[in-house]
Amino acid sequence: PGYNLFQRALHLISADPQTLMIGVAVVVAIALFYFFKEYKYACLALYFFTSLGFLSFALSGLRQTLAIAIVMLAYKYIKGRKIVPFFLVTLLAFTFHRSALFIIPAYFIANQQLKAKNVSMVFFLILVVFFFADKLLLTVADVLSYDKYGVEYTANGYQFFLLALLVTIFVIKNRDKIIKFNASNLYVLNINFLSLAMWTIRLASRTAERVSFYFLPYTAAVMSEYIATCPKSTRIQLKIICLFVATYLFLHRAGYQEDIKDYMFFFIL
């Protein structure tokens, strides 16, 4: 119902089909701005996030794109530990796409202490999730009545998984400095584990990739904070590496997604 009301509201402005695309773009831009603005290298984090599949996804998955944007606005309630507003915003996102419910665990794990024992347990659980990924996906599909989704086996996803894994290893290794730099980074560090878990499941099924976009902003944010805490002499090199990797992965994905090439800017239609 949320998406239908959104469409009706835009139709009052203009019946031009491009109005919908512009409306979605405005909502997403606002959400991205408010989410990334507090981080040291916000532009780098934003580029990293949009390059890893979100840009191309946002051109077609409009309902879920809006849900992701709304959920990003709920992050301030995770930081503020305000559960009622968090659930209300999540409920609003749910009216656009049922997958918004996957953000709920983020609230409860966000403030967990990152002691060595806890970190080891998380990595172990992610490993367990991988071996039971197909059963987990089928169960979730049944619960959410996603009959057309389930297990979609592919032979790719390893590059994005390795990237998520490397980012997680580096930031966890330097977690004390990252948290000291900004105490609220504890939340993005914890939620990033959910991003890694989704990309781990992605190895078993492409279905998990859609859900990963709810958590990928936290991976981008914590990567930015990691670079900010590194010695000044290495920051430029790390920025260049991140730009290169993100650009390569974007071009790599665009190379085999023929449908992306058919899109044109609205002002040249």
PDB file of all heavy atoms in Angstrom, residues 78-114:
ATOM      1  N   ILE A  78      18.370   3.450  15.733  1.00  0.00           N
ATOM      2  CA  ILE A  78      19.233   2.370  16.224  1.00  0.00           C
ATOM      3  C   ILE A  78      20.300   2.972  17.125  1.00  0.00           C
ATOM      4  O   ILE A  78      20.572   2.455  18.218  1.00  0.00           O
ATOM      5  CB  ILE A  78      19.875   1.608  15.046  1.00  0.00           C
ATOM      6  CG1 ILE A  78      18.810   0.879  14.225  1.00  0.00           C
ATOM      7  CG2 ILE A  78      20.910   0.621  15.569  1.00  0.00           C
ATOM      8  CD1 ILE A  78      19.359   0.127  13.023  1.00  0.00           C
ATOM      9  N   LYS A  79      20.901   4.050  16.674  1.00  0.00           N
ATOM     10  CA  LYS A  79      21.934   4.709  17.481  1.00  0.00           C
ATOM     11  C   LYS A  79      21.356   5.266  18.780  1.00  0.00           C
ATOM     12  O   LYS A  79      21.996   5.187  19.827  1.00  0.00           O
ATOM     13  CB  LYS A  79      22.587   5.844  16.696  1.00  0.00           C
ATOM     14  CG  LYS A  79      23.444   5.387  15.534  1.00  0.00           C
ATOM     15  CD  LYS A  79      24.274   6.534  14.989  1.00  0.00           C
ATOM     16  CE  LYS A  79      23.406   7.650  14.447  1.00  0.00           C
ATOM     17  NZ  LYS A  79      24.215   8.757  13.867  1.00  0.00           N
ATOM     18  N   GLY A  80      20.160   5.821  18.699  1.00  0.00           N
ATOM     19  CA  GLY A  80      19.531   6.407  19.881  1.00  0.00           C
ATOM     20  C   GLY A  80      18.839   5.401  20.775  1.00  0.00           C
ATOM     21  O   GLY A  80      18.316   5.780  21.828  1.00  0.00           O
ATOM     22  N   ARG A  81      18.851   4.118  20.349  1.00  0.00           N
ATOM     23  CA  ARG A  81      18.196   3.034  21.098  1.00  0.00           C
ATOM     24  C   ARG A  81      16.737   3.379  21.371  1.00  0.00           C
ATOM     25  O   ARG A  81      16.222   3.198  22.472  1.00  0.00           O
ATOM     26  CB  ARG A  81      18.933   2.731  22.410  1.00  0.00           C
ATOM     27  CG  ARG A  81      20.435   2.555  22.298  1.00  0.00           C
ATOM     28  CD  ARG A  81      20.809   1.582  21.197  1.00  0.00           C
ATOM     29  NE  ARG A  81      20.309   0.224  21.444  1.00  0.00           N
ATOM     30  CZ  ARG A  81      20.173  -0.707  20.491  1.00  0.00           C
ATOM     31  NH1 ARG A  81      20.466  -0.413  19.234  1.00  0.00           N
ATOM     32  NH2 ARG A  81      19.728  -1.901  20.805  1.00  0.00           N
ATOM     33  N   LYS A  82      16.064   3.847  20.327  1.00  0.00           N
ATOM     34  CA  LYS A  82      14.642   4.188  20.414  1.00  0.00           C
ATOM     35  C   LYS A  82      13.864   3.151  19.616  1.00  0.00           C
ATOM     36  O   LYS A  82      13.675   3.293  18.404  1.00  0.00           O
ATOM     37  CB  LYS A  82      14.400   5.604  19.880  1.00  0.00           C
ATOM     38  CG  LYS A  82      15.113   6.682  20.687  1.00  0.00           C
ATOM     39  CD  LYS A  82      14.864   8.068  20.125  1.00  0.00           C
ATOM     40  CE  LYS A  82      15.576   9.129  20.937  1.00  0.00           C
ATOM     41  NZ  LYS A  82      15.352  10.504  20.383  1.00  0.00           N
ATOM     42  N   ILE A  83      13.408   2.135  20.302  1.00  0.00           N
ATOM     43  CA  ILE A  83      12.849   0.972  19.617  1.00  0.00           C
ATOM     44  C   ILE A  83      11.504   1.263  18.958  1.00  0.00           C
ATOM     45  O   ILE A  83      11.217   0.740  17.874  1.00  0.00           O
ATOM     46  CB  ILE A  83      12.734  -0.220  20.595  1.00  0.00           C
ATOM     47  CG1 ILE A  83      12.429  -1.503  19.808  1.00  0.00           C
ATOM     48  CG2 ILE A  83      11.702   0.053  21.695  1.00  0.00           C
ATOM     49  CD1 ILE A  83      12.565  -2.763  20.628  1.00  0.00           C
ATOM     50  N   VAL A  84      10.671   2.083  19.587  1.00  0.00           N
ATOM     51  CA  VAL A  84       9.339   2.351  19.020  1.00  0.00           C
ATOM     52  C   VAL A  84       9.443   3.111  17.697  1.00  0.00           C
ATOM     53  O   VAL A  84       8.867   2.679  16.679  1.00  0.00           O
ATOM     54  CB  VAL A  84       8.446   3.101  20.035  1.00  0.00           C
ATOM     55  CG1 VAL A  84       7.132   3.519  19.366  1.00  0.00           C
ATOM     56  CG2 VAL A  84       8.161   2.214  21.245  1.00  0.00           C
ATOM     57  N   PRO A  85      10.169   4.245  17.650  1.00  0.00           N
ATOM     58  CA  PRO A  85      10.328   4.917  16.349  1.00  0.00           C
ATOM     59  C   PRO A  85      10.992   4.024  15.313  1.00  0.00           C
ATOM     60  O   PRO A  85      10.637   4.070  14.129  1.00  0.00           O
ATOM     61  CB  PRO A  85      11.202   6.129  16.677  1.00  0.00           C
ATOM     62  CG  PRO A  85      10.988   6.372  18.133  1.00  0.00           C
ATOM     63  CD  PRO A  85      10.806   5.017  18.733  1.00  0.00           C
ATOM     64  N   PHE A  86      11.948   3.203  15.745  1.00  0.00           N
ATOM     65  CA  PHE A  86      12.619   2.296  14.817  1.00  0.00           C
ATOM     66  C   PHE A  86      11.620   1.345  14.175  1.00  0.00           C
ATOM     67  O   PHE A  86      11.617   1.148  12.950  1.00  0.00           O
ATOM     68  CB  PHE A  86      13.705   1.500  15.543  1.00  0.00           C
ATOM     69  CG  PHE A  86      14.261   0.358  14.732  1.00  0.00           C
ATOM     70  CD1 PHE A  86      15.157   0.592  13.696  1.00  0.00           C
ATOM     71  CD2 PHE A  86      13.868  -0.951  14.980  1.00  0.00           C
ATOM     72  CE1 PHE A  86      15.651  -0.458  12.932  1.00  0.00           C
ATOM     73  CE2 PHE A  86      14.361  -2.008  14.223  1.00  0.00           C
ATOM     74  CZ  PHE A  86      15.254  -1.759  13.193  1.00  0.00           C
ATOM     75  N   PHE A  87      10.753   0.752  14.987  1.00  0.00           N
ATOM     76  CA  PHE A  87       9.765  -0.179  14.442  1.00  0.00           C
ATOM     77  C   PHE A  87       8.726   0.526  13.587  1.00  0.00           C
ATOM     78  O   PHE A  87       8.237  -0.046  12.599  1.00  0.00           O
ATOM     79  CB  PHE A  87       9.083  -0.957  15.575  1.00  0.00           C
ATOM     80  CG  PHE A  87       9.811  -2.199  15.976  1.00  0.00           C
ATOM     81  CD1 PHE A  87      10.547  -2.244  17.145  1.00  0.00           C
ATOM     82  CD2 PHE A  87       9.795  -3.333  15.166  1.00  0.00           C
ATOM     83  CE1 PHE A  87      11.246  -3.390  17.503  1.00  0.00           C
ATOM     84  CE2 PHE A  87      10.472  -4.478  15.519  1.00  0.00           C
ATOM     85  CZ  PHE A  87      11.202  -4.510  16.701  1.00  0.00           C
ATOM     86  N   LEU A  88       8.390   1.756  13.920  1.00  0.00           N
ATOM     87  CA  LEU A  88       7.416   2.495  13.116  1.00  0.00           C
ATOM     88  C   LEU A  88       7.988   2.803  11.722  1.00  0.00           C
ATOM     89  O   LEU A  88       7.283   2.661  10.712  1.00  0.00           O
ATOM     90  CB  LEU A  88       7.022   3.793  13.824  1.00  0.00           C
ATOM     91  CG  LEU A  88       6.153   3.636  15.077  1.00  0.00           C
ATOM     92  CD1 LEU A  88       5.923   4.990  15.738  1.00  0.00           C
ATOM     93  CD2 LEU A  88       4.814   2.974  14.733  1.00  0.00           C
ATOM     94  N   VAL A  89       9.246   3.213  11.678  1.00  0.00           N
ATOM     95  CA  VAL A  89       9.883   3.486  10.382  1.00  0.00           C
ATOM     96  C   VAL A  89      10.038   2.193   9.586  1.00  0.00           C
ATOM     97  O   VAL A  89       9.813   2.162   8.367  1.00  0.00           O
ATOM     98  CB  VAL A  89      11.250   4.167  10.577  1.00  0.00           C
ATOM     99  CG1 VAL A  89      11.960   4.336   9.234  1.00  0.00           C
ATOM    100  CG2 VAL A  89      11.072   5.525  11.239  1.00  0.00           C
ATOM    101  N   THR A  90      10.409   1.110  10.279  1.00  0.00           N
ATOM    102  CA  THR A  90      10.524  -0.193   9.611  1.00  0.00           C
ATOM    103  C   THR A  90       9.174  -0.640   9.071  1.00  0.00           C
ATOM    104  O   THR A  90       9.083  -1.205   7.974  1.00  0.00           O
ATOM    105  CB  THR A  90      11.077  -1.252  10.587  1.00  0.00           C
ATOM    106  OG1 THR A  90      12.354  -0.825  11.073  1.00  0.00           O
ATOM    107  CG2 THR A  90      11.227  -2.597   9.889  1.00  0.00           C
ATOM    108  N   LEU A  91       8.118  -0.383   9.832  1.00  0.00           N
ATOM    109  CA  LEU A  91       6.769  -0.719   9.379  1.00  0.00           C
ATOM    110  C   LEU A  91       6.409   0.078   8.132  1.00  0.00           C
ATOM    111  O   LEU A  91       5.787  -0.462   7.196  1.00  0.00           O
ATOM    112  CB  LEU A  91       5.754  -0.449  10.493  1.00  0.00           C
ATOM    113  CG  LEU A  91       4.290  -0.769  10.164  1.00  0.00           C
ATOM    114  CD1 LEU A  91       4.112  -2.254   9.846  1.00  0.00           C
ATOM    115  CD2 LEU A  91       3.382  -0.367  11.329  1.00  0.00           C
ATOM    116  N   LEU A  92       6.796   1.332   8.093  1.00  0.00           N
ATOM    117  CA  LEU A  92       6.553   2.144   6.899  1.00  0.00           C
ATOM    118  C   LEU A  92       7.289   1.549   5.698  1.00  0.00           C
ATOM    119  O   LEU A  92       6.716   1.430   4.606  1.00  0.00           O
ATOM    120  CB  LEU A  92       7.020   3.579   7.142  1.00  0.00           C
ATOM    121  CG  LEU A  92       6.963   4.531   5.937  1.00  0.00           C
ATOM    122  CD1 LEU A  92       5.527   4.680   5.446  1.00  0.00           C
ATOM    123  CD2 LEU A  92       7.553   5.893   6.295  1.00  0.00           C
ATOM    124  N   ALA A  93       8.536   1.158   5.901  1.00  0.00           N
ATOM    125  CA  ALA A  93       9.304   0.528   4.821  1.00  0.00           C
ATOM    126  C   ALA A  93       8.656  -0.785   4.390  1.00  0.00           C
ATOM    127  O   ALA A  93       8.660  -1.130   3.208  1.00  0.00           O
ATOM    128  CB  ALA A  93      10.743   0.287   5.280  1.00  0.00           C
ATOM    129  N   PHE A  94       8.096  -1.503   5.342  1.00  0.00           N
ATOM    130  CA  PHE A  94       7.428  -2.776   5.064  1.00  0.00           C
ATOM    131  C   PHE A  94       6.248  -2.589   4.119  1.00  0.00           C
ATOM    132  O   PHE A  94       5.939  -3.473   3.312  1.00  0.00           O
ATOM    133  CB  PHE A  94       6.955  -3.401   6.381  1.00  0.00           C
ATOM    134  CG  PHE A  94       6.139  -4.654   6.217  1.00  0.00           C
ATOM    135  CD1 PHE A  94       6.742  -5.868   5.916  1.00  0.00           C
ATOM    136  CD2 PHE A  94       4.760  -4.616   6.366  1.00  0.00           C
ATOM    137  CE1 PHE A  94       5.988  -7.021   5.766  1.00  0.00           C
ATOM    138  CE2 PHE A  94       3.995  -5.759   6.221  1.00  0.00           C
ATOM    139  CZ  PHE A  94       4.608  -6.969   5.922  1.00  0.00           C
ATOM    140  N   THR A  95       5.584  -1.432   4.186  1.00  0.00           N
ATOM    141  CA  THR A  95       4.447  -1.180   3.288  1.00  0.00           C
ATOM    142  C   THR A  95       4.892  -1.012   1.843  1.00  0.00           C
ATOM    143  O   THR A  95       4.077  -1.091   0.934  1.00  0.00           O
ATOM    144  CB  THR A  95       3.655   0.074   3.726  1.00  0.00           C
ATOM    145  OG1 THR A  95       4.481   1.239   3.580  1.00  0.00           O
ATOM    146  CG2 THR A  95       3.194  -0.045   5.173  1.00  0.00           C
ATOM    147  N   PHE A  96       6.205  -0.777   1.658  1.00  0.00           N
ATOM    148  CA  PHE A  96       6.751  -0.697   0.304  1.00  0.00           C
ATOM    149  C   PHE A  96       7.292  -2.053  -0.143  1.00  0.00           C
ATOM    150  O   PHE A  96       7.131  -2.428  -1.298  1.00  0.00           O
ATOM    151  CB  PHE A  96       7.873   0.351   0.247  1.00  0.00           C
ATOM    152  CG  PHE A  96       7.389   1.761   0.261  1.00  0.00           C
ATOM    153  CD1 PHE A  96       7.051   2.386   1.451  1.00  0.00           C
ATOM    154  CD2 PHE A  96       7.264   2.479  -0.923  1.00  0.00           C
ATOM    155  CE1 PHE A  96       6.593   3.698   1.466  1.00  0.00           C
ATOM    156  CE2 PHE A  96       6.806   3.787  -0.925  1.00  0.00           C
ATOM    157  CZ  PHE A  96       6.460   4.397   0.281  1.00  0.00           C
ATOM    158  N   HIS A  97       7.939  -2.774   0.783  1.00  0.00           N
ATOM    159  CA  HIS A  97       8.499  -4.085   0.440  1.00  0.00           C
ATOM    160  C   HIS A  97       8.671  -4.905   1.720  1.00  0.00           C
ATOM    161  O   HIS A  97       9.248  -4.419   2.695  1.00  0.00           O
ATOM    162  CB  HIS A  97       9.847  -3.921  -0.270  1.00  0.00           C
ATOM    163  CG  HIS A  97      10.210  -5.074  -1.142  1.00  0.00           C
ATOM    164  ND1 HIS A  97      10.813  -6.215  -0.647  1.00  0.00           N
ATOM    165  CD2 HIS A  97      10.038  -5.286  -2.483  1.00  0.00           C
ATOM    166  CE1 HIS A  97      11.015  -7.061  -1.641  1.00  0.00           C
ATOM    167  NE2 HIS A  97      10.559  -6.524  -2.767  1.00  0.00           N
ATOM    168  N   ARG A  98       8.183  -6.142   1.684  1.00  0.00           N
ATOM    169  CA  ARG A  98       8.213  -6.983   2.887  1.00  0.00           C
ATOM    170  C   ARG A  98       9.614  -7.317   3.353  1.00  0.00           C
ATOM    171  O   ARG A  98       9.840  -7.621   4.526  1.00  0.00           O
ATOM    172  CB  ARG A  98       7.430  -8.277   2.626  1.00  0.00           C
ATOM    173  CG  ARG A  98       5.920  -8.102   2.696  1.00  0.00           C
ATOM    174  CD  ARG A  98       5.199  -9.366   2.275  1.00  0.00           C
ATOM    175  NE  ARG A  98       5.270  -9.558   0.833  1.00  0.00           N
ATOM    176  CZ  ARG A  98       4.706 -10.583   0.194  1.00  0.00           C
ATOM    177  NH1 ARG A  98       4.061 -11.514   0.871  1.00  0.00           N
ATOM    178  NH2 ARG A  98       4.792 -10.683  -1.119  1.00  0.00           N
ATOM    179  N   SER A  99      10.577  -7.254   2.467  1.00  0.00           N
ATOM    180  CA  SER A  99      11.948  -7.583   2.840  1.00  0.00           C
ATOM    181  C   SER A  99      12.529  -6.605   3.859  1.00  0.00           C
ATOM    182  O   SER A  99      13.575  -6.880   4.466  1.00  0.00           O
ATOM    183  CB  SER A  99      12.851  -7.604   1.601  1.00  0.00           C
ATOM    184  OG  SER A  99      12.917  -6.316   1.006  1.00  0.00           O
ATOM    185  N   ALA A 100      11.865  -5.465   4.086  1.00  0.00           N
ATOM    186  CA  ALA A 100      12.342  -4.494   5.072  1.00  0.00           C
ATOM    187  C   ALA A 100      12.432  -5.096   6.469  1.00  0.00           C
ATOM    188  O   ALA A 100      13.186  -4.611   7.318  1.00  0.00           O
ATOM    189  CB  ALA A 100      11.428  -3.268   5.090  1.00  0.00           C
ATOM    190  N   LEU A 101      11.706  -6.160   6.711  1.00  0.00           N
ATOM    191  CA  LEU A 101      11.729  -6.809   8.026  1.00  0.00           C
ATOM    192  C   LEU A 101      13.106  -7.376   8.362  1.00  0.00           C
ATOM    193  O   LEU A 101      13.420  -7.596   9.532  1.00  0.00           O
ATOM    194  CB  LEU A 101      10.691  -7.938   8.083  1.00  0.00           C
ATOM    195  CG  LEU A 101       9.216  -7.519   7.972  1.00  0.00           C
ATOM    196  CD1 LEU A 101       8.323  -8.748   8.013  1.00  0.00           C
ATOM    197  CD2 LEU A 101       8.845  -6.555   9.095  1.00  0.00           C
ATOM    198  N   PHE A 102      13.929  -7.588   7.354  1.00  0.00           N
ATOM    199  CA  PHE A 102      15.259  -8.145   7.610  1.00  0.00           C
ATOM    200  C   PHE A 102      16.144  -7.186   8.399  1.00  0.00           C
ATOM    201  O   PHE A 102      17.174  -7.607   8.939  1.00  0.00           O
ATOM    202  CB  PHE A 102      15.945  -8.501   6.284  1.00  0.00           C
ATOM    203  CG  PHE A 102      15.441  -9.767   5.668  1.00  0.00           C
ATOM    204  CD1 PHE A 102      14.550  -9.739   4.600  1.00  0.00           C
ATOM    205  CD2 PHE A 102      15.839 -11.001   6.162  1.00  0.00           C
ATOM    206  CE1 PHE A 102      14.080 -10.913   4.031  1.00  0.00           C
ATOM    207  CE2 PHE A 102      15.371 -12.180   5.599  1.00  0.00           C
ATOM    208  CZ  PHE A 102      14.489 -12.139   4.528  1.00  0.00           C
ATOM    209  N   ILE A 103      15.770  -5.913   8.458  1.00  0.00           N
ATOM    210  CA  ILE A 103      16.581  -4.950   9.195  1.00  0.00           C
ATOM    211  C   ILE A 103      16.370  -5.075  10.699  1.00  0.00           C
ATOM    212  O   ILE A 103      17.188  -4.577  11.490  1.00  0.00           O
ATOM    213  CB  ILE A 103      16.271  -3.505   8.735  1.00  0.00           C
ATOM    214  CG1 ILE A 103      17.395  -2.533   9.171  1.00  0.00           C
ATOM    215  CG2 ILE A 103      14.931  -3.041   9.279  1.00  0.00           C
ATOM    216  CD1 ILE A 103      18.736  -2.805   8.574  1.00  0.00           C
ATOM    217  N   ILE A 104      15.324  -5.733  11.134  1.00  0.00           N
ATOM    218  CA  ILE A 104      14.990  -5.802  12.561  1.00  0.00           C
ATOM    219  C   ILE A 104      16.134  -6.357  13.412  1.00  0.00           C
ATOM    220  O   ILE A 104      16.444  -5.794  14.478  1.00  0.00           O
ATOM    221  CB  ILE A 104      13.692  -6.601  12.775  1.00  0.00           C
ATOM    222  CG1 ILE A 104      12.504  -5.798  12.216  1.00  0.00           C
ATOM    223  CG2 ILE A 104      13.471  -6.904  14.260  1.00  0.00           C
ATOM    224  CD1 ILE A 104      11.168  -6.523  12.293  1.00  0.00           C
ATOM    225  N   PRO A 105      16.806  -7.452  13.018  1.00  0.00           N
ATOM    226  CA  PRO A 105      17.915  -7.946  13.853  1.00  0.00           C
ATOM    227  C   PRO A 105      19.010  -6.917  14.082  1.00  0.00           C
ATOM    228  O   PRO A 105      19.722  -6.982  15.096  1.00  0.00           O
ATOM    229  CB  PRO A 105      18.437  -9.149  13.062  1.00  0.00           C
ATOM    230  CG  PRO A 105      17.281  -9.603  12.245  1.00  0.00           C
ATOM    231  CD  PRO A 105      16.556  -8.342  11.874  1.00  0.00           C
ATOM    232  N   ALA A 106      19.158  -5.969  13.159  1.00  0.00           N
ATOM    233  CA  ALA A 106      20.214  -4.964  13.285  1.00  0.00           C
ATOM    234  C   ALA A 106      20.066  -4.165  14.572  1.00  0.00           C
ATOM    235  O   ALA A 106      21.059  -3.791  15.212  1.00  0.00           O
ATOM    236  CB  ALA A 106      20.203  -4.032  12.077  1.00  0.00           C
ATOM    237  N   TYR A 107      18.833  -3.896  14.964  1.00  0.00           N
ATOM    238  CA  TYR A 107      18.597  -3.107  16.186  1.00  0.00           C
ATOM    239  C   TYR A 107      19.145  -3.821  17.412  1.00  0.00           C
ATOM    240  O   TYR A 107      19.717  -3.197  18.312  1.00  0.00           O
ATOM    241  CB  TYR A 107      17.102  -2.836  16.362  1.00  0.00           C
ATOM    242  CG  TYR A 107      16.799  -1.965  17.564  1.00  0.00           C
ATOM    243  CD1 TYR A 107      16.742  -0.583  17.423  1.00  0.00           C
ATOM    244  CD2 TYR A 107      16.594  -2.516  18.831  1.00  0.00           C
ATOM    245  CE1 TYR A 107      16.482   0.231  18.525  1.00  0.00           C
ATOM    246  CE2 TYR A 107      16.332  -1.717  19.929  1.00  0.00           C
ATOM    247  CZ  TYR A 107      16.279  -0.346  19.781  1.00  0.00           C
ATOM    248  OH  TYR A 107      16.039   0.456  20.872  1.00  0.00           O
ATOM    249  N   PHE A 108      19.003  -5.132  17.444  1.00  0.00           N
ATOM    250  CA  PHE A 108      19.336  -5.892  18.645  1.00  0.00           C
ATOM    251  C   PHE A 108      20.814  -6.280  18.727  1.00  0.00           C
ATOM    252  O   PHE A 108      21.319  -6.559  19.821  1.00  0.00           O
ATOM    253  CB  PHE A 108      18.459  -7.138  18.723  1.00  0.00           C
ATOM    254  CG  PHE A 108      16.999  -6.819  18.825  1.00  0.00           C
ATOM    255  CD1 PHE A 108      16.175  -6.877  17.704  1.00  0.00           C
ATOM    256  CD2 PHE A 108      16.446  -6.412  20.028  1.00  0.00           C
ATOM    257  CE1 PHE A 108      14.833  -6.565  17.787  1.00  0.00           C
ATOM    258  CE2 PHE A 108      15.105  -6.081  20.128  1.00  0.00           C
ATOM    259  CZ  PHE A 108      14.295  -6.158  19.005  1.00  0.00           C
ATOM    260  N   ILE A 109      21.506  -6.299  17.589  1.00  0.00           N
ATOM    261  CA  ILE A 109      22.931  -6.648  17.641  1.00  0.00           C
ATOM    262  C   ILE A 109      23.829  -5.423  17.587  1.00  0.00           C
ATOM    263  O   ILE A 109      25.029  -5.523  17.838  1.00  0.00           O
ATOM    264  CB  ILE A 109      23.314  -7.609  16.498  1.00  0.00           C
ATOM    265  CG1 ILE A 109      23.355  -6.861  15.161  1.00  0.00           C
ATOM    266  CG2 ILE A 109      22.389  -8.802  16.428  1.00  0.00           C
ATOM    267  CD1 ILE A 109      24.057  -7.622  14.069  1.00  0.00           C
ATOM    268  N   ALA A 110      23.253  -4.270  17.275  1.00  0.00           N
ATOM    269  CA  ALA A 110      24.060  -3.073  17.006  1.00  0.00           C
ATOM    270  C   ALA A 110      24.933  -2.648  18.182  1.00  0.00           C
ATOM    271  O   ALA A 110      26.040  -2.151  17.987  1.00  0.00           O
ATOM    272  CB  ALA A 110      23.162  -1.922  16.580  1.00  0.00           C
ATOM    273  N   ASN A 111      24.446  -2.812  19.403  1.00  0.00           N
ATOM    274  CA  ASN A 111      25.195  -2.316  20.558  1.00  0.00           C
ATOM    275  C   ASN A 111      25.955  -3.400  21.308  1.00  0.00           C
ATOM    276  O   ASN A 111      26.383  -3.195  22.445  1.00  0.00           O
ATOM    277  CB  ASN A 111      24.255  -1.585  21.517  1.00  0.00           C
ATOM    278  CG  ASN A 111      23.232  -2.523  22.146  1.00  0.00           C
ATOM    279  OD1 ASN A 111      22.933  -3.585  21.594  1.00  0.00           O
ATOM    280  ND2 ASN A 111      22.677  -2.140  23.291  1.00  0.00           N
ATOM    281  N   GLN A 112      26.133  -4.557  20.685  1.00  0.00           N
ATOM    282  CA  GLN A 112      26.880  -5.638  21.331  1.00  0.00           C
ATOM    283  C   GLN A 112      28.373  -5.301  21.374  1.00  0.00           C
ATOM    284  O   GLN A 112      28.919  -4.742  20.432  1.00  0.00           O
ATOM    285  CB  GLN A 112      26.671  -6.952  20.579  1.00  0.00           C
ATOM    286  CG  GLN A 112      25.227  -7.409  20.544  1.00  0.00           C
ATOM    287  CD  GLN A 112      24.645  -7.645  21.923  1.00  0.00           C
ATOM    288  OE1 GLN A 112      25.238  -8.352  22.744  1.00  0.00           O
ATOM    289  NE2 GLN A 112      23.497  -7.047  22.189  1.00  0.00           N
ATOM    290  N   GLN A 113      29.004  -5.669  22.478  1.00  0.00           N
ATOM    291  CA  GLN A 113      30.428  -5.400  22.632  1.00  0.00           C
ATOM    292  C   GLN A 113      31.244  -6.347  21.755  1.00  0.00           C
ATOM    293  O   GLN A 113      30.949  -7.540  21.668  1.00  0.00           O
ATOM    294  CB  GLN A 113      30.839  -5.549  24.098  1.00  0.00           C
ATOM    295  CG  GLN A 113      30.181  -4.539  25.020  1.00  0.00           C
ATOM    296  CD  GLN A 113      30.475  -3.099  24.604  1.00  0.00           C
ATOM    297  OE1 GLN A 113      31.635  -2.726  24.390  1.00  0.00           O
ATOM    298  NE2 GLN A 113      29.419  -2.295  24.479  1.00  0.00           N
ATOM    299  N   LEU A 114      32.257  -5.798  21.119  1.00  0.00           N
ATOM    300  CA  LEU A 114      33.055  -6.578  20.171  1.00  0.00           C
ATOM    301  C   LEU A 114      34.282  -7.187  20.850  1.00  0.00           C
ATOM    302  O   LEU A 114      35.436  -6.924  20.487  1.00  0.00           O
ATOM    303  CB  LEU A 114      33.473  -5.706  18.994  1.00  0.00           C
ATOM    304  CG  LEU A 114      32.339  -5.309  18.046  1.00  0.00           C
ATOM    305  CD1 LEU A 114      32.805  -4.278  17.038  1.00  0.00           C
ATOM    306  CD2 LEU A 114      31.798  -6.535  17.327  1.00  0.00           C
TER     307      LEU A 114
END
